[in-house]
Amino acid sequence: MLLRIVRSSFVNQKKAMAVMIVAVAVGTAIASSLISLSLDITSKVSKELRAFGANIKVEPRLQGIAEVAGQRRYLRSEDLLKIKTIFWRHNILGFVPFLYTIEPSTGHTVIGTWYRKSIKVPGEREPFVTGASEVMPWWQIKGRWPESENEVLLGRELSSRLNLRRGDRVELFGRDFRVSGILSTGSKEDDAFVLPLEVLQKLSGLNGKISEVYVSALTTPMDDFAYKDPEKMSPREYEKWYCTGYVTSIAKQIEEVMRGSRARPIWPVAETEGKVLKRLGLLIYLLSAVSVISAALGVSTTMIMSLLRRTRQVALMKAIGADRLNTVLIFLTEALIVGFLGGLTGYLLSLLISKYIGVEVFGTPLRQRAILFPLSLGASVLIAVLGAYLPIRKALAIRPALILKGE
Amino acid sequence: MSIIEVQSLRKDYSTAAALRGVDLVIEKGQWVSIIGPSGSGKTTLLNIIGGLDHPTDGKVFVKGTDINALSEDELSVFRRENIGFVFQQSHLIPYLDATENVMLAQYFHSLPDRKEAEEALKRVGLGHRLTHRPSQLSGGEQQRVCIARALINNPSILLADEPTGNLDRTNTRNVLELLRRLHQEEHFTVVMVTHDPYVTEWAERVIKMEDGRIITDESVSG
Amino acid sequence: MSLFQAEPFLIGLKEGAKLSIAFLVVRAYLLGLKREWLLWFSRLLVVVLPILSGLCLFLPVTPKTQSYISLSVGYSFGLLYLLSLGFLYSEARGEDLFGVLSPLIVNRVTLSAFMVIAGALFVLPDLSGSLLYVKTQAELKESLGPFLNMLGAFGVSAFSLYFLLKNRSERLVSLVGLPQCLLVLALIKLIGGGTRGFTELSLIPSVQKGLMKLIHDIVHQTFVTLMVPDHPILKTTTWNFIGILFGERVSLWLSLFVLFVPLFAFVMSYLNSPVEVPEGIELPAQRRKYKRQIKNKRLLRAVPVFLFMALIVINWFAQRNEEITRLYNPEPKPVVAEDNKVVIPISSPGEDLRDGAVHKFTVDVKGEDIRFFIIKRDDGSLVACLDACEVCPPEGYAQGEGYLVCLYCRTPINIQSLGKSGGCNPIPLKALITDRDVQIALGELYRKWEFVKTKHSKSTIKR
Ligand SMILES: Nc1ncnc2c1ncn2[C@@H]1O[C@H](COP(=O)(O)OP(=O)(O)O)[C@@H](O)[C@H]1O
Ligand SMILES: [Mg+2]
């Protein structure tokens, strides 16, 4: 009987029902594709952020104090290769050595590094390609990386300060160089000359020496166990820790193979990443809440209109014995059917939307499809029930004695 | 044995008072007509007895329960188990057919039962109109559907508010004869409001109201 | 070393909650029965059974005991579920499950035996599984900390939930009959029945796996008995085609179906079965009212069943979602060897090895189910590896975006580095890769799998 009542109210008010279904569908589509986007973004952005950049920094031990005492400490070039021999060697995606020097006559910083270097790893057939181009893919060079011994790269800020451009000549360490390109990195290289590592080592007389190494490694996400102090672990725990690819355990192993080094995980990347995501997530949830609420308002007003048209019928039902539950059931069922139909439509819409967003923002369609369905249904039912709340309150307040009176 | 007992009932509206102290006792199985000019408070009294409206003051006992003390849901249960309503305008749900309109009352009461609803319509002489919509029925037929609906849950009281107000003499006569037959078969109590003296001819007791008060109350024999 | 350890603590919380909720439901049922001695008996059981399950600590912790225990968790769930279905069925039919035998069976001895069995099914496997898991942790840490954490949390959650919900549970009395009671027990097991800490919180995946294995075995046996031993007709491709039947998707829906449909059918027939109105009620309206009351009562009784179904579906979606969003871990496809080697076509109906996804296979060699996988590296070449590494217990690998993840130590593996041994990399297999297929010798598979089985626990890292 309930279904008979609800069915006829659908048949008799096709337009109102269609309006409600569309409102639910649009609200659902926006909300659910936004939420699925935010779920997806977490994995996508964190992957993109992590693909960029190093997560371990290796520097000479006791550098600070030694520097105060006037003697700089260095790492050794020949140890670099050993990074690819540790237990977790397959997880090392790349590393970049840096040598920092001061040009004696002008006081400018000169940095030596690898841009794209192919090295031979003992025991492996294919060469290992590494360098800034792999680990710091955001580096931008207008021009090209130095190819001959008398070419140098110039940081963006320094180039505007010295008013030098590509092809200009400059003197470093008493030798003539030609600027082969302008480099912008967003960090200290912007304010320096950059040379291939081996060239700088020879020029500055620091043969085989490097100041620090940045390593990019594929790591196991840190969990509670990972934060424990290895010094205090039982031997079996230590073994498990060592054999798990935490950034800390990989850093520890690098430290073991590079003489006189200290390897630290670089945390800030992960932390800022978290903050960005949190803010983004908040915004997205806010937006989806707004779309849910506005859709609910649409449903609410349409439903109230339809209720007004049916006031007499509701009053009559109450007079012949409908209690509050009966009244609620009629409108709730109506709302749920609207919600369900709207949810299905919204699901199809959100498939399209999330595909579009994925292609626009990330270049690939969003993978996360399975969750869209329950998400859409959830959102649409939420919208419908929220929207039905006010009409139901109004329907419950109808007094049959007032409505049914006379002519 | 009294089935309805009304004690010093008052109903005030912001503009005027509709009932100004009504006392009334109705016996079980009686057929009572309430007659009076328009605006004398008949409908208000009937609605209060039926639990559709609340009095400003005074008490109403139906089958011994004080219905003002009931909550809204308890009132619904009370209404659907004890009272059948027939209104002047035959209030039917327009998009349901005759049988379904009767089944609606069954549904709110307990369970819809199509066969029983059809039986009830046959008893009011509408066996040939089972699947007609209200708009396809004449006024008299509509009112007979309302009577079938009002009696489907075997109520002990039938409250009728000018049930023949919109009908011509022949139809009025038919409807009242039908009601008399059913009344004799099922022994429910009838309280019928009217302003048409012709209708009171069917009653055992006629109560005259004016200006929110009962002025005469006389039993009619036969 | 910190005193608080999250994982055993949570396991303790979970087990405590399971026990006290289960007891409350049983209590509600027994209160409705109004048999005082049964209530006392159940109180005795709820104390004795957990202590009994502590006996498992004397078992050695080997993969074998662990797998037996997790199997028994699954079986006990199945038994409880089937029992509740049986009772539900008889309630729906309005019959006594035991028919004429009922007076013989329903007496003190059999009732208490039934309670012992149901209780043991519910408590023993889960609790001992969890205890064993915590034991492995304790051995790893070489301290009793994990046990203390678990016991503490167990006590806290069991007692606090019990006293919090005790009064509320008395309102459940009208909702819980015997079938509902058993169903709730099964539900608790299904949702909280995992025994391996964070890696396995619920039983659903193992129910799914169990079903899949069952179907696989049945199909396999049928074909083996139908065909002559060396499969003259059933070529590899046919098997591969049949393999689609055991795909993740099919098993997902199938297991959902198996859990869902009987319940649904029973509930529906229960709700719709006709109501007998007793003689004395004459008026039609009164008869209808009586029917309504009976139906309302039935609806109330069906609520736990509906709840069960809703929770199954919700859990399913949650589970499914997790698998799909986080990691892709397809069920290994069974293949058969011919001429002492497995031959896997590069492209077959429904599958293309070069699509970039990990393709897992399993082959039966001398009674061992050996798992391996084939995947395309970033440079476009195919590589075959065992689904296990030298270091970890052979839990296998799943695919994330751009890397594989070891399911034991959660370490991501660079896909380009596949084919190299060492670290947590999967053990590479020598394979002959032609234009059409990938061929791997059985000997190669067997030798390396045996190596994993014997070697994995004894690694040799020194401090
Ligand atoms: N909702 C209302 N608000 C204000 N006055 C009302 C209301 N309903 C009825 N009345 C007044 O109460 C009096 C009695 O009305 P009613 O009981 O409908 O009379 P009857 O049915 O005898 O024609 C009338 O004067 C009418 O104007
Ligand atoms: Mg009137």
Side-chain angles (χ1 to χ4, degrees):
Chain A
M1 205 63 217
L2 178 65
L3 290 183
R4 181 72 190 80
I5 297 169
V6 172
R7 195 177 81 203
S8 54
S9 74
F10 270 86
V11 172
N12 288 319
Q13 334 179 49
K14 293 197 185 79
K15 211 164 134 195
M17 293 299 165
V19 168
M20 285 200 274
I21 289 174
V22 168
V24 172
V26 172
T28 299
I30 294 176
S32 65
S33 51
L34 277 177
I35 291 176
S36 96
L37 173 73
S38 96
L39 294 178
D40 209 66
I41 247 177
T42 328
S43 64
K44 252 192 166 122
V45 172
S46 75
K47 191 179 138 245
E48 279 184 11
L49 287 182
R50 214 147 54 87
F52 293 162
N55 43 8
I56 298 172
K57 181 180 179 185
V58 193
E59 50 197 5
R61 188 170 287 154
L62 291 180
Q63 191 179 30
I65 299 168
E67 234 166 339
V68 172
Q71 45 176 172
R72 246 175 185 282
R73 290 200 167 215
Y74 294 99
L75 299 171
R76 307 174 198 205
S77 278
E78 72 245 41
D79 287 345
L80 279 175
L81 262 184
K82 293 187 191 156
I83 294 179
K84 281 299 279 181
T85 64
I86 63 169
F87 183 81
W88 288 113
R89 57 189 175 274
H90 300 311
N91 285 41
I92 305 291
L93 298 176
F95 52 86
V96 204
F98 286 95
L99 175 62
Y100 303 113
T101 59
I102 306 289
E103 208 277 329
S105 56
T106 56
H108 291 310
T109 310
V110 185
I111 300 177
T113 186
W114 289 348
Y115 185 66
R116 195 181 156 80
K117 188 157 177 90
S118 171
I119 53 178
K120 174 91 184 69
V121 178
E124 282 190 20
R125 266 179 290 126
E126 304 135 47
F128 178 62
V129 177
T130 186
S133 70
E134 307 300 303
V135 179
M136 289 143 183
W138 59 87
W139 278 25
Q140 282 184 355
I141 302 177
K142 285 206 189 88
R144 59 178 160 80
W145 180 253
E147 281 175 358
S148 67
E149 292 238 335
N150 57 4
E151 284 185 331
V152 69
L153 213 54
L154 183 52
R156 186 170 47 89
E157 272 172 41
L158 193 59
S159 85
S160 63
R161 202 135 45 79
L162 299 180
N163 204 9
L164 287 173
R165 245 164 282 141
R166 228 175 110 189
D168 290 349
R169 309 219 145 252
V170 65
E171 198 184 292
L172 292 171
F173 297 100
R175 269 180 48 185
D176 233 16
F177 282 91
R178 205 173 60 83
V179 176
S180 69
I182 306 294
L183 173 70
S184 56
T185 69
S187 68
K188 55 191 166 204
E189 295 83 11
D190 279 357
D191 201 16
F193 291 100
V194 179
L195 284 168
L197 179 68
E198 285 75 11
V199 176
L200 182 62
Q201 282 175 337
K202 225 187 281 166
L203 276 178
S204 59
L206 294 168
N207 271 325
K209 299 201 165 146
I210 43 185
S211 310
E212 54 189 31
V213 186
Y214 283 87
V215 182
S216 162
L218 204 54
T219 63
T220 306
M222 295 291 279
D223 51 23
D224 286 344
F225 184 61
Y227 283 107
K228 291 182 92 167
D229 183 354
E231 297 292 319
K232 293 181 185 162
M233 289 181 186
S234 74
R236 295 188 68 164
E237 275 185 301
Y238 184 77
E239 184 189 309
K240 178 156 196 254
W241 176 77
Y242 197 91
C243 297
T244 306
Y246 297 125
V247 65
T248 45
S249 46
I250 294 181
K252 166 103 178 145
Q253 291 176 11
I254 292 176
E255 210 170 279
E256 283 170 2
V257 294
M258 296 208 59
R259 282 166 289 174
S261 75
R262 216 185 100 81
R264 290 187 292 113
I266 305 175
W267 299 117
V269 175
E271 276 166 26
T272 44
E273 176 184 320
K275 268 184 212 150
V276 169
L277 286 181
K278 216 176 242 168
R279 232 174 273 157
L280 210 62
L282 206 67
L283 188 72
I284 281 176
Y285 284 113
L286 216 70
L287 277 177
S288 25
V290 167
S291 69
V292 163
I293 289 171
S294 51
L297 280 179
V299 170
S300 201
T301 46
T302 321
M303 209 156 171
I304 285 178
M305 296 291 282
S306 113
L307 171 68
L308 287 182
R309 256 178 274 131
R310 286 185 284 168
T311 310
R312 262 176 172 280
Q313 293 166 23
V314 176
L316 177 66
M317 288 182 192
K318 286 185 163 191
I320 63 175
D323 56 21
R324 291 190 308 176
L325 181 65
N326 291 132
T327 318
V328 171
L329 271 182
I330 291 172
F331 288 92
L332 204 60
T333 313
E334 232 166 73
L336 287 180
I337 291 175
V338 164
F340 188 74
L341 294 178
L344 282 185
T345 329
Y347 170 65
L348 297 179
L349 266 178
S350 60
L351 277 185
L352 288 179
I353 294 181
S354 65
K355 192 170 177 178
Y356 176 77
I357 292 181
V359 172
E360 284 297 301
V361 180
F362 297 111
T364 53
L366 299 185
R367 273 255 310 258
Q368 200 159 37
R369 286 291 164 68
I371 198 173
L372 271 181
F373 190 68
L375 210 61
S376 304
L377 273 190
S380 62
V381 167
L382 185 73
I383 291 174
V385 170
L386 276 183
Y389 178 75
L390 223 64
I392 288 178
R393 286 283 301 269
K394 269 189 137 36
L396 285 177
I398 289 175
R399 302 260 146 260
L402 289 180
I403 311 292
L404 295 178
K405 182 164 289 179
E407 26 288 287
Chain B
M1 199 179 79
S2 70
I3 188 163
I4 299 171
E5 203 174 328
V6 176
Q7 296 172 356
S8 53
L9 200 64
R10 287 193 63 86
K11 176 74 181 179
D12 296 328
Y13 286 111
S14 51
T15 46
L19 296 174
R20 312 162 185 254
V22 173
D23 289 276
L24 179 67
V25 176
I26 296 174
E27 300 298 317
K28 189 160 188 262
Q30 252 184 355
W31 179 315
V32 180
S33 260
I34 301 178
I35 189 167
S38 186
S40 56
K42 308 181 298 291
T43 299
T44 308
L45 177 62
L46 203 69
N47 282 345
I48 291 175
I49 292 175
L52 287 180
D53 209 347
H54 293 281
T56 315
D57 201 13
K59 281 198 181 315
V60 179
F61 294 92
V62 177
K63 294 175 97 178
T65 36
D66 178 0
I67 63 169
N68 290 323
L70 298 179
S71 73
E72 195 180 328
D73 277 344
E74 286 166 338
L75 258 181
S76 306
V77 174
F78 160 80
R79 259 201 311 271
R80 64 198 183 201
E81 292 188 350
N82 299 303
I83 294 181
F85 278 103
V86 180
F87 303 96
Q88 171 178 4
Q89 286 184 319
S90 45
H91 285 297
L92 291 167
I93 305 282
Y95 50 77
L96 298 180
D97 66 27
T99 317
E100 286 167 339
N101 263 293
V102 177
M103 284 164 69
L104 194 62
Q106 292 175 321
Y107 165 70
F108 292 135
H109 173 268
S110 48
L111 295 168
D113 182 335
R114 180 171 286 274
K115 246 172 101 185
E116 195 193 318
E118 286 172 357
E119 284 303 315
L121 282 171
K122 279 175 198 156
R123 283 205 300 157
V124 298
L126 288 177
H128 57 304
R129 292 281 186 269
L130 294 178
T131 54
H132 285 55
R133 296 272 175 107
S135 55
Q136 298 162 324
L137 297 172
S138 74
E141 285 171 334
Q142 283 183 26
Q143 212 53 319
R144 280 189 273 169
V145 176
C146 288
I147 290 172
R149 183 181 67 192
L151 296 177
I152 192 70
N153 294 324
N154 311 114
S156 39
I157 302 168
L158 180 74
L159 300 179
D161 192 356
E162 313 212 12
T164 57
N166 289 352
L167 304 181
D168 58 23
R169 265 291 129 86
T170 18
N171 268 316
T172 300
R173 201 187 160 73
N174 289 342
V175 166
L176 288 171
E177 285 300 331
L178 167 69
L179 264 182
R180 171 178 284 170
R181 203 186 79 226
L182 295 171
H183 180 236
Q184 277 163 2
E185 283 169 12
E186 299 183 17
H187 316 294
F188 46 83
T189 310
V190 178
V191 182
M192 186 178 293
V193 163
T194 182
H195 59 250
D196 182 356
Y198 176 71
V199 174
T200 61
E201 286 173 22
W202 272 261
E204 302 162 42
R205 176 179 168 194
V206 178
I207 293 170
K208 228 179 217 149
M209 282 187 73
E210 224 176 271
D211 208 11
R213 285 196 191 86
I214 294 177
I215 42 173
T216 63
D217 180 348
E218 50 200 28
S219 294
V220 190
S221 49
Chain C
M1 189 181 290
S2 72
L3 281 178
F4 175 74
Q5 281 147 14
E7 193 165 15
F9 191 81
L10 278 180
I11 292 176
L13 280 186
K14 188 181 82 177
E15 292 299 332
K18 274 163 68 179
L19 191 67
S20 72
I21 291 174
F23 178 63
L24 284 169
V25 172
V26 172
R27 183 167 164 270
Y29 168 61
L30 295 177
L31 281 176
L33 268 192
K34 301 204 173 54
R35 290 203 203 188
E36 195 61 19
W37 65 273
L38 268 179
L39 204 57
W40 277 107
F41 192 60
S42 72
R43 285 183 189 136
L44 182 72
L45 278 182
V46 86
V47 176
V48 170
L49 285 174
I51 296 175
L52 264 183
S53 65
L55 286 181
C56 76
L57 291 178
F58 298 105
L59 294 174
V61 189
T62 64
K64 215 167 200 152
T65 34
Q66 277 175 332
S67 85
Y68 277 133
I69 285 193
S70 56
L71 258 185
S72 69
V73 174
Y75 283 133
S76 60
F77 159 75
L79 277 174
L80 278 175
Y81 181 66
L82 288 179
L83 264 179
S84 68
L85 282 189
F87 283 106
L88 206 62
Y89 178 72
S90 63
E91 187 173 309
R93 301 280 305 269
E95 293 164 2
D96 198 326
L97 187 63
F98 304 113
V100 281
L101 291 178
S102 175
L104 282 178
I105 289 175
V106 183
N107 58 41
R108 280 189 182 219
V109 178
T110 49
L111 273 182
S112 36
F114 179 72
M115 273 186 62
V116 171
I117 292 170
L121 281 179
F122 181 77
V123 177
L124 291 183
D126 295 39
L127 209 50
S128 41
S130 294
L131 275 171
L132 267 194
Y133 180 75
V134 174
K135 188 180 170 191
T136 60
Q137 294 231 316
E139 279 180 359
L140 188 68
K141 295 212 163 77
E142 291 170 347
S143 86
L144 280 178
F147 277 119
L148 297 180
N149 270 283
M150 176 179 174
L151 279 180
F154 181 82
V156 168
S157 79
F159 283 104
S160 58
L161 265 179
Y162 177 70
F163 288 110
L164 262 177
L165 300 178
K166 194 176 161 203
N167 292 331
R168 281 168 196 267
S169 83
E170 274 151 27
R171 278 190 236 147
L172 289 179
V173 170
S174 60
L175 285 178
V176 197
L178 183 56
Q180 286 81 1
C181 180
L182 289 171
L183 199 61
V184 171
L185 293 191
L187 175 65
I188 295 174
K189 269 182 101 85
L190 185 68
I191 290 179
T195 53
R196 284 186 300 154
F198 290 145
T199 48
E200 186 196 81
L201 287 171
S202 107
L203 260 191
I204 287 179
S206 38
V207 170
Q208 199 179 319
K209 278 204 189 89
L211 271 171
M212 224 149 74
K213 174 127 180 59
L214 187 74
I215 297 166
H216 167 238
D217 289 352
I218 291 171
V219 175
H220 191 91
Q221 279 310 317
T222 339
F223 275 100
V224 167
T225 41
L226 281 180
M227 305 298 153
V228 264
D230 52 354
H231 308 288
I233 303 166
L234 278 182
K235 287 279 175 231
T236 322
T237 42
T238 323
W239 270 113
N240 285 336
F241 204 72
I242 292 170
I244 295 174
L245 278 181
F246 314 121
E248 184 120 26
R249 227 153 248 278
V250 175
S251 83
L252 184 83
W253 290 110
L254 202 71
S255 39
L256 192 57
F257 186 81
V258 163
L259 284 180
F260 204 90
V261 166
L263 279 182
F264 191 72
F266 291 157
V267 160
M268 277 340 216
S269 77
Y270 179 51
L271 288 181
N272 291 330
S273 64
V275 180
E276 295 287 332
V277 183
E279 278 305 307
I281 304 177
E282 289 300 334
L283 282 178
Q286 297 295 303
R287 296 175 69 86
R288 268 191 275 122
K289 197 175 152 193
Y290 178 82
K291 284 186 192 171
R292 173 82 265 170
Q293 279 165 354
I294 298 291
K295 292 216 163 180
N296 280 348
K297 203 174 279 170
R298 286 183 184 170
L299 208 59
L300 219 57
R301 281 286 185 90
V303 167
V305 184
F306 278 125
L307 220 63
F308 183 92
M309 294 196 286
L311 280 172
I312 288 180
V313 173
I314 290 172
N315 236 284
W316 226 268
F317 265 111
Q319 208 82 32
R320 194 171 120 93
N321 200 25
E322 208 150 287
E323 289 298 310
I324 290 173
T325 52
R326 301 254 166 82
L327 295 173
Y328 172 64
N329 184 16
E331 198 56 32
K333 222 168 74 166
V335 292
V336 285
E338 289 166 43
D339 305 334
N340 271 327
K341 64 186 180 205
V342 283
V343 178
I344 292 156
I346 284 178
S347 150
S348 60
E351 180 157 47
D352 189 336
L353 298 182
R354 292 160 304 192
D355 59 6
V358 61
H359 296 269
K360 289 198 178 187
F361 302 94
T362 168
V363 59
D364 185 331
V365 185
K366 302 183 197 165
E368 290 276 346
D369 273 331
I370 297 177
R371 281 178 288 122
F372 62 99
F373 64 81
I374 299 176
I375 191 171
K376 190 186 73 172
R377 275 186 295 215
D378 302 342
D379 63 7
S381 60
L382 287 175
V383 58
C385 298
L386 222 50
D387 195 19
C389 74
E390 294 169 14
V391 187
C392 302
E395 302 250 326
Y397 295 84
Q399 191 172 21
E401 286 190 32
Y403 50 84
L404 292 187
V405 175
C406 168
L407 290 173
Y408 179 77
C409 68
R410 295 277 147 183
T411 299
I413 307 292
N414 189 358
I415 288 183
Q416 190 53 36
S417 79
L418 293 179
K420 298 171 188 166
S421 58
C424 191
N425 269 31
I427 297 174
L429 291 170
K430 281 202 205 87
L432 177 64
I433 299 173
T434 67
D435 294 344
R436 276 183 293 116
D437 49 28
V438 177
Q439 303 180 7
I440 306 170
L442 278 192
E444 166 86 358
L445 279 164
Y446 189 70
R447 197 166 43 77
K448 290 194 169 159
W449 186 260
E450 282 297 304
F451 166 77
V452 169
K453 270 181 55 196
T454 51
K455 177 92 187 271
H456 76 76
S457 55
K458 302 165 196 143
S459 84
T460 48
I461 311 282
K462 290 271 150 32
R463 218 162 170 159

